[in-house]
Amino acid sequence: MSPRDTDNRPVIQAEEILAGIKRWVEIESPSHDAGAVNRMADEVERDLRRLGAKIARTPGTDGYGDILTARTPWGGDGPGILVLSHIDTVHPIGMIREALKWRREGDKVYGPGIYDMKGGAYLAFYAYQHLVRQGKQTTLPITFMFVPEEEIGSPSSRHAIEQAALANKYVLVTEPAREGGKIVTSRKGVGRFVLHAKGKPAHAGARHEDGRSAIREIARQVLRIEEMTDYARGITTNAGLISGGTGVNVVPAECTAEIDLRVPDPRTAEEMVDWFLKLEPIGPDVEVKVEGGMNRPPYQKDAGIAALFEKAQAIYREIGKDLKDVPLTGGGSDGNFTAALGIPTLDGLGADGKGAHAAYEQIYYSSLVPRTYLCTRLLETLD
Ligand SMILES: [Zn+2]
């Protein structure tokens, strides 16, 4: 049974959406636990089969879960709309019984991955279900793709995402909405680098002068790297992980640092990657090796994206709402891959809320109906 209004037409109903989100959230699915992610994929697959979707499941590689794809039975084989979601979360198994117990407090609903992004993924599924209940078929075929490891940069699914994007006219990404329901039309590019310094080990007391400290070298490199942060240009660098040394009384011979880079556009990406790969040792008698590059290309709001955004704004006006987009955000998503290929991409179409990746992750109940409406009408009207 589906919720219906007095004229017996199916309606988008918040309680029903929330019940579905709860069911998906309760299947915890951390990116590194392929079995858990696949249990989640099983549930999503069952839901989609009920709607008559054509399912394809690509077995996971590199220890990650499967990639699940579902296509509407209508619309033929031509290019259509790709709806991109991820079904992994950053939260370890057990959060649902601890800090992120499922609960609703007024407009706030809590749960692991509810905001990033099981809420959004479910909204898109519900939008499809709503079309089916109304007996409607969209002009364009719709392909739903559920990715198993977005939270660690989609290493095993990137190729499939890009192939799917190239086979479609539009990409809708169901990542969380921002700051009062804003959507995302641009994202910075993300780079990752590993710096490895090699010095000379020595007894820290007896032969100190013979040693060349790899930790000291990395410390100086990190200062130099972090000085490249330039908020005005939209460049940030962050040394997020460091490891090195073998004992407190040993001059350390090895040290490694992992660096995160964010850049606003392809030219800056090229400039910064070049800068990183040319890093030279600062101290004497040490070696420095740099590996890495761009992980996600910059996602820029081009004319195609601006036009798609205007369509979304017009849909929101149908329900008396004003849709805005956020200024260039530093967070990457799979939308970076699709937008960089020139496929008009709208992102941040999921539920509004806050606390992605945090122990207070939540969505706003009041956003469920408008966001589902937006998604449904985008699917219905894009041509
Ligand atoms: Zn996400």
Side-chain angles (χ1 to χ4, degrees), residues 33-236:
D33 188 336
V37 172
N38 282 343
R39 279 195 291 283
M40 175 68 194
D42 292 342
E43 185 75 8
V44 177
E45 184 181 332
R46 267 194 295 277
D47 284 343
L48 285 158
R49 276 195 194 281
R50 268 202 294 276
L51 299 181
K54 293 184 276 183
I55 307 284
R57 200 153 153 172
T58 313
T61 52
D62 307 325
Y64 299 113
D66 301 350
I67 301 169
L68 175 66
T69 310
R71 194 173 167 98
T72 50
W74 63 75
D77 297 328
I81 305 166
L82 176 66
V83 179
L84 200 51
S85 305
H86 64 83
I87 53 173
D88 61 321
T89 82
V90 298
H91 301 288
I93 298 272
M95 285 291 273
I96 190 96
R97 290 188 303 276
E98 294 160 22
L100 272 168
K101 214 169 253 146
W102 177 274
R103 64 193 194 280
R104 180 169 169 197
E105 292 167 4
D107 198 35
K108 300 170 181 169
V109 191
Y110 297 83
I114 192 169
Y115 176 56
D116 186 8
M117 60 142 77
K118 288 185 179 172
Y122 192 82
L123 292 186
F125 163 77
Y126 190 97
Y128 175 26
Q129 178 176 269
H130 187 58
L131 292 167
V132 171
R133 283 173 173 174
Q134 295 173 95
K136 284 184 178 168
Q137 297 191 352
T138 53
T139 311
L140 295 176
I142 311 163
T143 302
F144 295 84
M145 182 177 239
F146 298 88
V147 170
E149 33 52 306
E150 190 276 343
E151 293 293 2
I152 43 178
S154 309
S156 74
S157 59
R158 176 177 182 168
H159 182 70
I161 292 166
E162 290 177 336
Q163 291 307 112
L166 288 168
N168 282 287
K169 287 178 80 170
Y170 305 100
V171 181
L172 306 178
V173 187
T174 62
E175 291 283 1
R178 305 298 183 87
E179 302 152 27
K182 295 191 179 102
I183 68 166
V184 174
T185 52
S186 60
R187 290 179 182 272
K188 287 184 184 179
V190 184
R192 289 287 155 81
F193 299 89
V194 179
L195 246 70
H196 186 78
K198 206 171 167 181
K200 281 195 189 110
H203 191 293
R207 303 295 301 178
H208 189 276
E209 65 277 18
D210 294 347
R212 296 290 180 267
S213 168
I215 289 182
R216 175 185 160 90
E217 175 64 21
I218 287 292
R220 299 172 82 181
Q221 294 284 353
V222 165
L223 292 177
R224 178 159 82 174
I225 288 166
E226 297 217 339
E227 268 164 23
M228 295 305 284
T229 290
D230 185 337
Y231 296 126
R233 288 185 66 198
I235 303 169
T236 58

